[in-house]
């Protein structure tokens, strides 16, 4: 797989990848051994094997995105994490110490992984299409109330609320407040993987939204 060339005169574009955990773990460029010792130590604390695989997949997918943006091979990508709450390393917001100009985000959920790397802050979230966020009291607290009410009044409230939730998560991960209108926020349904995905970024350029399999993202 060849990295995407940067768009002329614009620097790198955002690369976002969505895949099933199984697809990532079977990817020829990716291997759990790419993970750093501190990441593997954290994995040791995850008791549920499926969840462990999801975390591995998301962290590997992040390396693949960074590889495509920077042109470096995935094993030369060294992400770090720092917590904005306690200031400690090893958890919290991911970043690339060697590429402070690039934003980094990843997400995982039952059998799914997503990652994004691009200029400026980025946030990505993936959830299974069948997930129903809730309870309503929580949704009302973290989502714009009018949008929650509109989604509930619509013909398909479950998917509509899930879409709102995923968008909010992507914004939150990018570090944006809800309601900002200068943020590019794209949400789509990956039907082949039964996933809902949202990508938030501030790069202002059209972001190529790539699935790592043959099926392009569909819907909005
Ligand atoms: Zn912390």
């Amino acid at each position: 797989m060849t990295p995407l060339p940067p768009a002329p005169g614009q620097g790198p574009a955002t690369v976002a990848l969505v895949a099933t955990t199984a697809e990532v773990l079977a990817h020829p460029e990716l291997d759990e051994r790419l993970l750093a010792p501190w990441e593997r130590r954290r994995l040791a604390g995850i008791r549920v094997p499926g969840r462990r695989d999801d975390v591995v997949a998301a962290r590997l997918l992040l390396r693949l995105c960074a590889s495509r943006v920077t042109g470096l091979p995935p094993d030369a990508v060294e992400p770090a994490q720092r917590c904005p709450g306690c200031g400690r390393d090893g958890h919290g917001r991911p970043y690339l110490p060697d590429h402070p100009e690039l934003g980094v985000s990843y997400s995982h959920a039952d059998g799914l992984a997503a990652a994004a790397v691009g200029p400026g802050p980025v946030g990505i979230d993936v959830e299974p299409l069948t997930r129903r966020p809730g309870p309503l009291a929580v949704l009302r607290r973290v989502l714009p109330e009018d949008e929650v009410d509109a989604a509930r009044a619509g013909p398909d409230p479950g998917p509509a609320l899930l879409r709102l939730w995923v968008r909010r998560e992507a914004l939150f991960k990018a570090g944006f407040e809800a309601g900002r209108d200068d943020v590019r926020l794209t949400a789509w349904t990956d039907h082949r993987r039964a996933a809902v995905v949202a990508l938030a970024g501030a790069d202002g350029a059209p972001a190529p939204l790539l699935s790592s399999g043959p099926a392009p993202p569909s819907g909005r």
Side-chain angles (χ1 to χ4, degrees), residues 16-19 57-59 61-62 65 105-109 112-116 124-126 197:
L17 296 172
V18 180
R59 289 170 178 272
L61 206 52
L62 186 155
C65 289
S105 184
Y106 69 87
S107 176
H108 48 80
L112 297 167
I124 195 163
D125 193 56
V126 63
V197 194

Side-chain angles (χ1 to χ4, degrees), residues 83 85-87 91:
C83 177
C86 68
H91 66 282

